[in-house]
Amino acid sequence: MHRPFDPTLYLVTDTALCAPRSVPAVVAAAVAGGVTAVQVRDKTASRRDLLALTRAVQQVLAPTPQVRLVVNDAVDVALLTGADGVHVGQDDLPAGEVRGLLGPDALVGVSVGSAADLDAVLALPTGTVDLVGLSPVWATPTKPDAGTALGLEGTRALADRARAAGLTSVAIGGVHATNAAAVAATGVDGICVVSDVCAAADPGAAARRLRAELVPS
């Protein structure tokens, strides 16, 4: 990757789960608690609302420029806001097209749910994709259309292949403080969480618990 990017604890936002608090308020608390990267995701928002949301999150991240901001799917929003990158799923824009639009310095992530998905990523020209999101580790209500659960061993196998190819990998899907250490032990570079932080009564404390599992004192 062309800019420093720490995926250790990667927060994917969910507007409904954050309510009645705002997404930026939850992000601010989570970053104070140890979140290292943020992806803005809201599948139900209009492009106008997603643009406003992304800009609002950028404002709260301004004091912590080391925390990179990625937009889910919306290349146009990433371009308008100057976000650090875009993460796309298997049914979104092709990664090669996204790279062409964003240029060489952006972060491009792709969701990978199987060996075949990873094969397709690895077949792309070097530098097209920076990060693969291995998902779902376990079934999760925050993404009911996700594919078959990988489990820990499936996640480990894909993480090993990604690392060998020089790609960063993160794991998402059913990851909570109680199992974060086991997921991290598969060899991924980071874990992604949604509900464990967004729905927490205290997002900052939730992030601290997760970081403690990932980086034991």
Side-chain angles (χ1 to χ4, degrees):
M1 272 160 276
H2 305 277
R3 301 180 67 192
F5 174 69
D6 181 358
T8 303
L9 182 54
Y10 187 131
L11 173 65
V12 180
T13 70
D14 185 302
T15 304
L17 288 177
C18 288
R21 303 157 303 187
S22 72
V23 169
V26 170
V27 168
V31 168
V35 159
T36 61
V38 176
Q39 179 185 143
V40 175
R41 184 173 80 184
D42 188 332
K43 294 285 192 179
T44 64
S46 68
R47 275 300 201 267
R48 180 186 293 271
D49 288 345
L50 185 63
L51 178 63
L53 176 60
T54 302
R55 285 179 168 155
V57 171
Q58 280 182 311
Q59 288 184 334
V60 302
L61 291 180
T64 53
Q66 73 278 10
V67 178
R68 298 301 180 200
L69 176 64
V70 175
V71 178
N72 188 73
D73 299 350
V75 177
D76 51 354
V77 171
L79 287 168
L80 287 167
T81 59
D84 293 298
V86 169
H87 188 92
V88 294
Q90 289 295 312
D91 297 327
D92 300 321
L93 291 176
E97 303 287 349
V98 173
R99 173 62 70 195
L101 289 167
L102 294 180
D105 295 329
L107 175 74
V108 175
V110 176
S111 295
V112 165
S114 67
D117 289 347
L118 185 56
D119 289 342
V121 169
L122 298 181
L124 294 169
T126 300
T128 301
V129 173
D130 301 298
L131 174 141
V132 288
L134 309 181
S135 68
V137 182
W138 293 290
T140 170
T142 61
K143 196 168 175 61
D145 59 342
T148 304
L150 295 167
L152 293 175
E153 287 310 307
T155 301
R156 184 188 307 278
L158 293 178
D160 287 348
R161 291 184 61 204
R163 184 184 311 104
L167 297 177
T168 298
S169 67
V170 293
I172 186 170
V175 182
H176 302 287
T178 55
N179 58 31
V183 177
T186 64
V188 293
D189 297 290
I191 63 163
C192 295
V193 293
V194 186
S195 59
D196 213 43
V197 169
C198 291
D202 185 338
R208 284 190 290 276
R209 283 194 297 272
L210 285 156
R211 281 300 298 266
E213 292 299 318
L214 300 173
V215 188
S217 57

XYZ file of all heavy atoms in Angstrom, residues 18-130:
784
model
N -25.915 2.368 15.246
C -25.383 3.486 16.032
C -26.492 4.299 16.697
O -26.268 4.923 17.740
C -24.564 4.421 15.143
S -22.964 3.773 14.601
N -27.678 4.320 16.087
C -28.780 5.143 16.580
C -29.145 4.794 18.029
O -29.014 3.643 18.435
C -29.992 4.953 15.674
N -29.571 5.792 18.791
C -29.894 7.165 18.396
C -28.679 8.087 18.312
O -28.825 9.272 18.011
C -30.835 7.630 19.507
C -30.338 6.894 20.723
C -29.914 5.535 20.208
N -27.505 7.565 18.542
C -26.298 8.383 18.408
C -25.968 8.538 16.932
O -26.340 7.715 16.099
C -25.137 7.713 19.138
C -25.423 7.458 20.606
C -24.565 6.363 21.160
N -24.724 5.123 20.422
C -24.182 3.969 20.787
N -23.448 3.910 21.876
N -24.381 2.879 20.069
N -25.217 9.566 16.599
C -24.782 9.742 15.215
C -23.590 8.842 14.929
O -22.842 8.466 15.841
C -24.396 11.196 14.951
O -23.174 11.504 15.607
N -23.418 8.497 13.669
C -22.253 7.704 13.282
C -20.952 8.423 13.640
O -20.038 7.809 14.216
C -22.313 7.347 11.780
C -20.981 6.763 11.308
C -23.446 6.368 11.513
N -20.805 9.716 13.335
C -19.555 10.389 13.708
C -19.266 10.338 15.208
O -18.102 10.189 15.617
C -19.772 11.828 13.227
C -20.722 11.694 12.085
C -21.661 10.595 12.502
N -20.304 10.443 16.028
C -20.084 10.381 17.480
C -19.568 9.017 17.899
O -18.655 8.902 18.734
C -21.381 10.711 18.222
N -20.134 7.970 17.319
C -19.671 6.616 17.631
C -18.245 6.409 17.118
O -17.402 5.831 17.813
C -20.634 5.570 17.028
C -20.049 4.170 17.140
C -21.984 5.639 17.735
N -17.967 6.899 15.925
C -16.613 6.769 15.372
C -15.601 7.480 16.264
O -14.524 6.937 16.564
C -16.554 7.328 13.938
C -15.109 7.480 13.468
C -17.324 6.423 12.978
N -15.920 8.678 16.704
C -14.991 9.424 17.552
C -14.676 8.656 18.830
O -13.502 8.554 19.241
C -15.573 10.797 17.880
N -15.707 8.102 19.450
C -15.496 7.343 20.681
C -14.696 6.078 20.409
O -13.803 5.714 21.181
C -16.845 6.991 21.308
N -15.004 5.416 19.302
C -14.324 4.166 18.974
C -12.849 4.390 18.673
O -11.986 3.600 19.079
C -15.013 3.499 17.796
N -12.551 5.468 17.967
C -11.151 5.776 17.662
C -10.391 6.109 18.948
O -9.246 5.684 19.141
C -11.063 6.917 16.633
C -9.635 7.448 16.516
C -11.557 6.430 15.271
N -11.037 6.834 19.842
C -10.405 7.116 21.135
C -10.133 5.833 21.899
O -9.175 5.746 22.679
C -11.297 8.042 21.956
N -10.962 4.807 21.646
C -10.787 3.526 22.313
C -9.820 2.581 21.627
O -9.514 1.519 22.174
N -9.349 2.940 20.439
C -8.334 2.102 19.797
C -8.622 1.624 18.397
O -7.829 0.857 17.829
N -9.738 2.039 17.796
C -9.989 1.684 16.398
C -8.920 2.320 15.520
O -8.562 3.489 15.706
C -11.404 2.138 15.971
C -11.532 2.263 14.462
C -12.447 1.163 16.505
N -8.409 1.558 14.556
C -7.282 2.021 13.737
C -7.645 2.343 12.297
O -6.836 2.917 11.560
C -6.170 0.958 13.716
O -6.698 -0.251 13.142
C -5.644 0.687 15.115
N -8.845 1.958 11.849
C -9.292 2.240 10.487
C -10.817 2.250 10.499
O -11.439 1.545 11.303
C -8.776 1.198 9.508
N -11.401 3.029 9.607
C -12.860 3.170 9.575
C -13.353 3.037 8.137
O -12.798 3.659 7.225
C -13.308 4.535 10.142
C -14.824 4.705 10.004
C -12.876 4.685 11.597
N -14.396 2.234 7.972
C -15.085 2.152 6.691
C -16.511 2.664 6.883
O -17.237 2.170 7.751
C -15.118 0.705 6.182
C -15.837 0.550 4.852
C -15.972 -0.898 4.418
O -16.979 -1.302 3.850
N -14.962 -1.725 4.708
N -16.893 3.639 6.096
C -18.257 4.156 6.135
C -19.123 3.286 5.240
O -18.902 3.207 4.026
C -18.316 5.629 5.691
C -19.765 6.105 5.616
C -17.520 6.518 6.641
N -20.104 2.634 5.857
C -21.010 1.773 5.095
C -22.445 2.069 5.508
O -22.789 2.028 6.684
C -20.702 0.290 5.351
C -21.558 -0.656 4.493
C -21.104 -2.100 4.646
N -21.607 -2.714 5.866
C -21.289 -3.955 6.256
N -20.450 -4.674 5.534
N -21.791 -4.454 7.370
N -23.277 2.374 4.525
C -24.709 2.557 4.760
C -25.414 2.231 3.451
O -25.520 3.072 2.555
C -25.027 3.981 5.212
C -26.481 4.124 5.656
O -27.338 3.360 5.152
O -26.765 5.000 6.502
N -25.871 1.007 3.343
C -26.472 0.521 2.101
C -27.806 1.198 1.801
O -28.270 1.169 0.660
C -26.684 -0.994 2.192
C -25.400 -1.810 2.263
C -24.718 -1.882 0.924
C -23.612 -2.931 0.921
N -22.951 -3.027 -0.394
N -28.444 1.793 2.805
C -29.768 2.380 2.594
C -29.716 3.882 2.323
O -30.716 4.474 1.940
C -30.666 2.136 3.820
O -30.107 2.818 4.955
C -30.761 0.641 4.128
N -28.574 4.498 2.510
C -28.463 5.949 2.348
C -28.449 6.342 0.872
O -27.914 5.611 0.022
C -27.201 6.462 3.027
N -29.010 7.501 0.572
C -28.854 8.072 -0.764
C -27.400 8.499 -0.945
O -26.658 8.636 0.030
C -29.764 9.288 -0.932
O -29.321 10.351 -0.097
N -26.993 8.712 -2.184
C -25.626 9.165 -2.418
C -25.387 10.509 -1.732
O -24.311 10.766 -1.197
C -25.357 9.283 -3.924
C -24.937 7.978 -4.600
C -23.650 7.427 -3.981
N -22.968 6.502 -4.858
C -23.135 5.198 -4.835
N -23.989 4.667 -3.972
N -22.470 4.415 -5.656
N -26.383 11.381 -1.759
C -26.241 12.680 -1.098
C -26.006 12.491 0.398
O -25.123 13.116 0.985
C -27.492 13.525 -1.338
C -27.447 14.906 -0.688
C -28.777 15.621 -0.860
N -29.026 15.938 -2.261
C -28.629 17.064 -2.852
N -27.969 17.971 -2.155
N -28.908 17.289 -4.111
N -26.795 11.613 1.013
C -26.652 11.385 2.453
C -25.337 10.684 2.773
O -24.703 10.973 3.798
C -27.828 10.565 2.985
C -29.121 11.374 3.037
O -29.048 12.620 2.942
O -30.197 10.760 3.157
N -24.932 9.758 1.906
C -23.654 9.068 2.134
C -22.489 10.044 2.015
O -21.514 9.958 2.774
C -23.496 7.920 1.140
C -22.264 7.031 1.346
C -22.321 6.316 2.695
C -22.147 6.002 0.217
N -22.598 10.972 1.089
C -21.569 12.000 0.939
C -21.477 12.846 2.206
O -20.379 13.087 2.736
C -21.894 12.878 -0.271
C -20.949 14.045 -0.554
C -19.548 13.549 -0.890
C -21.492 14.902 -1.706
N -22.632 13.266 2.710
C -22.640 14.076 3.935
C -22.108 13.283 5.119
O -21.354 13.812 5.956
C -24.058 14.575 4.215
N -22.485 12.019 5.201
C -22.025 11.177 6.300
C -20.516 10.996 6.250
O -19.826 11.093 7.276
C -22.725 9.817 6.236
C -22.286 8.775 7.257
C -22.524 9.264 8.677
C -23.012 7.454 7.011
N -19.996 10.749 5.071
C -18.554 10.550 4.930
C -17.791 11.804 5.317
O -16.765 11.742 6.018
C -18.220 10.135 3.494
O -18.945 8.945 3.167
C -16.733 9.865 3.318
N -18.295 12.944 4.905
C -17.629 14.203 5.279
C -17.691 14.444 6.781
O -16.733 14.949 7.381
C -18.262 15.362 4.508
C -17.831 15.393 3.043
C -18.473 16.513 2.263
N -17.820 16.662 0.954
C -18.407 17.178 -0.109
N -19.666 17.597 -0.029
N -17.746 17.290 -1.249
N -18.805 14.081 7.395
C -18.923 14.251 8.845
C -17.947 13.344 9.588
O -17.339 13.751 10.589
C -20.355 13.976 9.281
N -17.783 12.118 9.097
C -16.811 11.201 9.711
C -15.394 11.729 9.500
O -14.544 11.653 10.403
C -16.978 9.779 9.153
C -15.837 8.870 9.626
C -18.325 9.196 9.581
N -15.120 12.276 8.319
C -13.796 12.861 8.078
C -13.475 13.941 9.093
O -12.329 14.050 9.552
C -13.742 13.464 6.669
C -13.500 12.453 5.564
C -13.402 13.125 4.211
O -14.261 13.943 3.860
N -12.389 12.788 3.441
N -14.469 14.731 9.441
C -14.234 15.817 10.400
C -13.792 15.282 11.753
O -12.866 15.828 12.374
C -15.492 16.669 10.545
C -15.781 17.535 9.329
C -16.989 18.436 9.548
O -17.881 18.126 10.345
N -17.025 19.554 8.841
N -14.436 14.213 12.207
C -14.060 13.694 13.525
C -12.726 12.941 13.468
O -12.066 12.781 14.500
C -15.161 12.805 14.151
C -16.458 13.575 14.281
C -15.355 11.521 13.378
N -12.330 12.500 12.279
C -11.048 11.816 12.146
C -9.888 12.778 11.898
O -8.721 12.354 11.939
C -11.104 10.802 10.989
C -11.992 9.575 11.197
C -11.944 8.676 9.964
C -11.577 8.796 12.426
N -10.196 14.035 11.653
C -9.140 14.994 11.319
C -8.002 15.039 12.344
O -6.827 15.143 11.965
C -9.751 16.387 11.133
N -8.281 14.935 13.653
C -7.176 14.961 14.625
C -6.342 13.679 14.641
O -5.300 13.644 15.305
C -7.895 15.151 15.969
C -9.266 15.626 15.635
C -9.598 14.979 14.327
N -6.806 12.630 13.965
C -6.082 11.351 13.958
C -5.848 10.915 12.513
O -6.445 9.947 12.035
C -6.890 10.271 14.709
O -8.224 10.220 14.152
C -6.967 10.557 16.196
N -4.975 11.616 11.801
C -4.787 11.326 10.374
C -4.241 9.931 10.093
O -4.339 9.447 8.965
C -3.803 12.407 9.921
C -3.098 12.842 11.169
C -4.123 12.728 12.253
N -3.701 9.276 11.128
C -3.205 7.915 10.923
C -4.352 6.909 10.778
O -4.133 5.779 10.307
C -2.286 7.496 12.075
C -2.988 7.192 13.386
C -3.316 8.438 14.218
O -3.181 9.569 13.739
N -3.725 8.221 15.464
N -5.557 7.289 11.178
C -6.724 6.414 11.037
C -7.308 6.633 9.656
O -7.896 7.683 9.375
C -7.777 6.706 12.125
C -9.004 5.814 11.932
C -7.182 6.488 13.514
N -7.127 5.660 8.789
C -7.550 5.809 7.398
C -9.055 5.620 7.250
O -9.667 4.810 7.959
C -6.808 4.819 6.509
C -5.297 5.030 6.485
C -4.955 6.416 6.004
N -3.530 6.652 5.957
C -2.984 7.866 5.945
N -3.754 8.933 6.000
N -1.684 8.008 5.881
N -9.632 6.341 6.297
C -11.066 6.297 6.037
C -11.332 5.692 4.673
O -10.823 6.175 3.654
C -11.661 7.706 6.098
C -13.147 7.815 5.746
C -13.993 7.053 6.767
C -13.575 9.275 5.682
N -12.132 4.637 4.669
C -12.502 3.931 3.445
C -14.015 4.033 3.271
O -14.758 4.000 4.247
C -12.068 2.447 3.541
C -12.549 1.647 2.342
C -10.548 2.352 3.662
N -14.451 4.163 2.030
C -15.879 4.213 1.727
C -16.294 2.869 1.136
O -15.595 2.307 0.292
C -16.191 5.344 0.734
C -17.685 5.369 0.389
C -15.755 6.695 1.295
N -17.421 2.368 1.587
C -17.927 1.107 1.058
C -18.621 1.353 -0.288
O -19.572 2.150 -0.363
C -18.921 0.495 2.050
C -19.338 -0.901 1.647
O -18.572 -1.847 1.763
N -20.563 -1.037 1.151
N -18.152 0.698 -1.324
C -18.777 0.667 -2.649
C -18.700 1.960 -3.446
O -18.470 1.918 -4.663
C -20.267 0.288 -2.579
C -20.522 -1.075 -1.994
O -19.550 -1.829 -1.816
O -21.688 -1.387 -1.694
N -18.953 3.104 -2.821
C -19.245 4.344 -3.541
C -17.969 5.067 -3.987
O -17.438 5.927 -3.272
C -20.102 5.257 -2.678
N -17.523 4.748 -5.183
C -16.317 5.378 -5.716
C -16.524 6.873 -5.883
O -15.605 7.671 -5.629
C -15.919 4.728 -7.053
C -14.712 5.421 -7.657
C -15.621 3.245 -6.869
N -17.719 7.276 -6.305
C -17.976 8.703 -6.499
C -17.841 9.470 -5.191
O -17.249 10.552 -5.147
C -19.351 8.926 -7.136
C -20.491 8.197 -6.436
O -20.232 7.405 -5.507
O -21.656 8.414 -6.834
N -18.355 8.902 -4.109
C -18.246 9.560 -2.806
C -16.783 9.629 -2.365
O -16.332 10.653 -1.834
C -19.110 8.832 -1.757
C -18.831 9.355 -0.351
C -20.587 8.993 -2.103
N -16.032 8.573 -2.602
C -14.607 8.582 -2.245
C -13.856 9.659 -3.017
O -13.012 10.377 -2.466
C -14.001 7.211 -2.508
N -14.180 9.803 -4.292
C -13.507 10.820 -5.101
C -13.869 12.230 -4.644
O -13.006 13.105 -4.555
C -13.881 10.637 -6.572
C -13.246 9.437 -7.280
C -13.908 9.199 -8.628
C -11.747 9.655 -7.461
N -15.133 12.454 -4.344
C -15.577 13.783 -3.932
C -15.014 14.193 -2.580
O -14.741 15.372 -2.344
C -17.107 13.831 -3.896
C -17.807 13.847 -5.258
C -19.294 13.573 -5.096
C -17.586 15.185 -5.959
N -14.852 13.227 -1.698
C -14.381 13.535 -0.342
C -12.869 13.416 -0.196
O -12.312 13.887 0.790
C -15.027 12.589 0.690
O -14.689 11.238 0.355
C -16.539 12.757 0.705
N -12.222 12.777 -1.150
C -10.795 12.511 -0.991
C -10.514 11.464 0.064
O -9.455 11.484 0.707
N -11.457 10.542 0.267
C -11.244 9.451 1.224
C -10.033 8.627 0.819
O -9.564 8.689 -0.325
C -12.492 8.568 1.285
N -9.547 7.838 1.760
C -8.316 7.082 1.505
C -8.517 5.903 0.570
O -7.536 5.386 0.020
C -7.737 6.582 2.829
C -7.256 7.736 3.693
O -6.347 8.449 3.264
O -7.822 7.936 4.772
N -9.764 5.458 0.391
C -9.961 4.332 -0.502
C -11.393 3.860 -0.538
O -12.291 4.489 0.035
N -11.578 2.732 -1.202
C -12.899 2.136 -1.406
C -12.799 0.637 -1.180
O -11.808 0.000 -1.577
C -13.422 2.422 -2.834
C -14.654 1.583 -3.155
C -13.738 3.897 -3.007
N -13.831 0.092 -0.571
C -13.937 -1.363 -0.440
C -15.143 -1.831 -1.239
O -16.236 -1.275 -1.098
C -14.102 -1.778 1.025
C -14.031 -3.255 1.213
N -12.850 -3.914 1.497
C -14.976 -4.216 1.098
C -13.080 -5.211 1.569
N -14.376 -5.419 1.322
N -14.932 -2.821 -2.082
C -16.021 -3.322 -2.925
C -16.286 -4.791 -2.639
O -15.385 -5.553 -2.261
C -15.716 -3.135 -4.428
C -15.670 -1.668 -4.789
C -14.420 -3.827 -4.837
N -17.537 -5.178 -2.838
C -17.930 -6.568 -2.706
C -17.894 -7.260 -4.049
O -17.573 -6.662 -5.084
N -18.270 -8.521 -4.046
C -18.219 -9.314 -5.266
C -19.221 -8.837 -6.318
O -19.029 -9.092 -7.509
C -18.476 -10.789 -4.930
C -17.334 -11.447 -4.184
C -16.065 -11.521 -5.025
O -16.095 -11.925 -6.175
N -14.942 -11.129 -4.437
N -20.262 -8.152 -5.908
C -21.278 -7.689 -6.855
C -21.167 -6.205 -7.158
O -22.050 -5.634 -7.804
C -22.681 -7.990 -6.301
C -22.929 -9.482 -6.150
O -22.400 -10.253 -6.974
O -23.631 -9.870 -5.204
N -20.102 -5.579 -6.705
C -19.910 -4.145 -6.935
C -19.009 -3.928 -8.150
O -18.736 -4.857 -8.908
C -19.320 -3.503 -5.676
C -20.237 -3.676 -4.471
O -21.463 -3.566 -4.651
O -19.720 -3.935 -3.365
N -18.547 -2.716 -8.321
C -17.670 -2.414 -9.450
C -16.423 -3.287 -9.398
O -15.880 -3.557 -8.325
C -17.253 -0.946 -9.410
C -18.327 0.094 -9.691
C -17.739 1.489 -9.501
C -18.881 -0.060 -11.098
N -15.918 -3.724 -10.560
C -14.697 -4.528 -10.577
C -13.514 -3.755 -9.995
O -13.382 -2.544 -10.210
C -14.484 -4.815 -12.069
C -15.820 -4.618 -12.699
C -16.489 -3.540 -11.903
N -12.673 -4.466 -9.272
C -11.541 -3.817 -8.595
C -10.632 -3.092 -9.578
O -10.101 -2.015 -9.273
C -10.747 -4.854 -7.809
N -10.453 -3.651 -10.752
C -9.598 -3.005 -11.737
C -10.143 -1.659 -12.176
O -9.387 -0.695 -12.371
N -11.454 -1.582 -12.334
C -12.083 -0.315 -12.701
C -11.976 0.691 -11.561
O -11.754 1.891 -11.780
C -13.553 -0.547 -13.053
C -13.800 -1.552 -14.156
C -13.435 -1.030 -15.525
O -13.179 0.195 -15.661
O -13.399 -1.836 -16.469
N -12.138 0.214 -10.341
C -12.024 1.087 -9.176
C -10.611 1.660 -9.082
O -10.428 2.866 -8.868
C -12.396 0.324 -7.888
C -12.113 1.173 -6.650
C -13.862 -0.085 -7.928
N -9.629 0.813 -9.264
C -8.239 1.284 -9.230
C -7.997 2.329 -10.311
O -7.339 3.353 -10.065
C -7.280 0.101 -9.410
C -5.813 0.492 -9.567
C -5.271 1.219 -8.352
N -5.139 0.324 -7.211
C -4.978 0.740 -5.968
N -4.952 2.031 -5.689
N -4.873 -0.126 -4.976
N -8.547 2.093 -11.488
C -8.368 3.058 -12.566
C -8.968 4.414 -12.244
O -8.411 5.461 -12.612
N -10.092 4.415 -11.550
C -10.740 5.669 -11.190
C -10.029 6.379 -10.041
O -9.907 7.598 -10.035
C -12.194 5.409 -10.798
C -13.146 5.022 -11.941
C -14.452 4.485 -11.379
C -13.405 6.221 -12.845
N -9.574 5.619 -9.066
C -8.999 6.208 -7.857
C -7.518 6.545 -7.987
O -7.005 7.363 -7.230
C -9.197 5.269 -6.667
C -10.630 5.018 -6.213
C -10.649 4.064 -5.030
C -11.344 6.316 -5.853
N -6.833 5.887 -8.902
C -5.408 6.141 -9.049
C -4.557 5.231 -8.181
O -5.076 4.452 -7.370
N -3.254 5.333 -8.328
C -2.351 4.367 -7.699
C -2.180 4.502 -6.203
O -1.719 3.570 -5.547
C -1.017 4.639 -8.409
C -1.105 6.088 -8.811
C -2.546 6.311 -9.167
N -2.534 5.646 -5.632
C -2.244 5.870 -4.213
C -3.395 5.537 -3.278
O -3.236 5.581 -2.064
C -1.836 7.328 -3.989
C -0.534 7.661 -4.689
O 0.315 6.761 -4.816
O -0.367 8.821 -5.123
N -4.560 5.223 -3.831
C -5.719 4.909 -2.991
C -5.645 3.479 -2.484
O -4.952 2.629 -3.049
C -7.004 5.106 -3.787
N -6.392 3.223 -1.436
C -6.540 1.873 -0.897
C -7.739 1.219 -1.576
O -8.832 1.781 -1.573
C -6.768 1.943 0.604
C -7.069 0.622 1.312
C -5.795 -0.207 1.416
C -7.653 0.884 2.692
N -7.534 0.058 -2.160
C -8.632 -0.693 -2.768
C -8.751 -2.032 -2.056
O -7.802 -2.822 -2.022
C -8.409 -0.912 -4.276
C -9.514 -1.805 -4.852
C -8.404 0.428 -5.011
N -9.932 -2.262 -1.472
C -10.201 -3.514 -0.787
C -11.302 -4.274 -1.493
O -12.182 -3.683 -2.126
N -11.259 -5.600 -1.390
C -12.245 -6.465 -2.031
C -12.684 -7.531 -1.030
O -11.849 -8.131 -0.339
C -11.662 -7.150 -3.280
C -12.670 -8.121 -3.888
C -11.236 -6.125 -4.318
N -13.990 -7.781 -0.978
C -14.505 -8.860 -0.137
C -14.235 -10.207 -0.789
O -14.479 -10.385 -1.985
C -16.008 -8.692 0.079
O -16.274 -7.526 0.817
N -13.753 -11.143 0.004
C -13.411 -12.479 -0.481
C -14.079 -13.497 0.430
O -13.865 -13.485 1.640
C -11.878 -12.672 -0.481
C -11.515 -14.134 -0.624
C -11.236 -11.840 -1.586
N -14.902 -14.359 -0.167
C -15.621 -15.334 0.638
C -15.291 -16.777 0.328
O -15.882 -17.688 0.915
N -14.338 -16.973 -0.578
C -13.997 -18.338 -0.982
C -12.636 -18.348 -1.649
O -12.093 -17.296 -2.019
C -15.039 -18.878 -1.968
O -14.967 -18.150 -3.189
N -12.104 -19.546 -1.846
C -10.835 -19.684 -2.561
C -10.958 -19.160 -3.984
O -10.034 -18.540 -4.516
C -10.402 -21.144 -2.564
N -12.119 -19.365 -4.604
C -12.322 -18.889 -5.974
C -12.307 -17.364 -6.029
O -11.756 -16.772 -6.978
C -13.631 -19.434 -6.526
N -12.921 -16.715 -5.028
C -12.885 -15.253 -4.980
C -11.449 -14.759 -4.869
O -11.062 -13.776 -5.518
C -13.679 -14.740 -3.773
C -15.177 -14.909 -3.911
O -15.650 -15.205 -5.023
O -15.876 -14.740 -2.882
N -10.659 -15.418 -4.040
C -9.269 -15.001 -3.880
C -8.478 -15.279 -5.154
O -7.618 -14.472 -5.536
C -8.639 -15.713 -2.683
C -7.212 -15.278 -2.334
C -7.120 -13.777 -2.102
C -6.721 -16.027 -1.101
N -8.771 -16.379 -5.819
C -8.114 -16.657 -7.103
C -8.312 -15.491 -8.061
O -7.378 -15.084 -8.767
C -8.692 -17.931 -7.741
C -8.291 -19.207 -7.024
O -7.311 -19.175 -6.249
O -8.960 -20.239 -7.236
N -9.532 -14.973 -8.111
C -9.836 -13.882 -9.035
C -9.056 -12.622 -8.680
O -8.569 -11.902 -9.562
C -11.335 -13.600 -9.031
N -8.917 -12.344 -7.386
C -8.132 -11.186 -6.958
C -6.663 -11.373 -7.332
O -6.017 -10.456 -7.851
C -8.281 -10.959 -5.442
C -7.271 -9.934 -4.941
C -9.702 -10.515 -5.107
N -6.146 -12.567 -7.080
C -4.736 -12.818 -7.351
C -4.417 -12.817 -8.840
O -3.258 -12.637 -9.232
C -4.310 -14.153 -6.728
C -4.426 -14.226 -5.194
C -3.952 -15.577 -4.689
C -3.644 -13.100 -4.532
N -5.433 -12.987 -9.667
C -5.226 -12.971 -11.122
C -5.125 -11.548 -11.668
O -4.720 -11.353 -12.819
C -6.370 -13.707 -11.817
N -5.490 -10.561 -10.862
C -5.421 -9.169 -11.306
C -3.972 -8.687 -11.318
O -3.111 -9.231 -10.610
C -6.243 -8.288 -10.360
C -7.753 -8.542 -10.357
C -8.400 -7.809 -9.182
C -8.375 -8.105 -11.671
N -3.679 -7.656 -12.099
C -2.314 -7.114 -12.102
C -1.875 -6.699 -10.708
O -2.682 -6.188 -9.909
C -2.431 -5.901 -13.032
C -3.592 -6.211 -13.930
C -4.561 -6.970 -13.070
N -0.627 -6.907 -10.408
C -0.084 -6.516 -9.105
C -0.349 -5.038 -8.853
O -0.144 -4.203 -9.730
C 1.430 -6.779 -9.069
O 1.661 -8.165 -9.293
C 2.018 -6.395 -7.722
N -0.819 -4.735 -7.650
C -1.110 -3.362 -7.294
C -2.555 -2.959 -7.481
O -2.953 -1.864 -7.079
N -3.360 -3.842 -8.075
C -4.776 -3.511 -8.260
C -5.497 -3.494 -6.917
O -6.266 -2.581 -6.625
C -5.457 -4.527 -9.192
O -4.792 -4.537 -10.446
C -6.930 -4.179 -9.403
N -5.261 -4.509 -6.114
C -5.921 -4.658 -4.820
C -4.879 -4.618 -3.714
O -3.804 -5.215 -3.840
C -6.712 -5.985 -4.766
C -7.266 -6.246 -3.369
C -7.842 -5.968 -5.796
N -5.192 -3.901 -2.643
C -4.299 -3.821 -1.485
C -4.727 -4.750 -0.370
O -3.899 -5.299 0.348
C -4.296 -2.392 -0.921
C -3.858 -1.365 -1.938
O -2.716 -1.452 -2.400
O -4.675 -0.476 -2.272
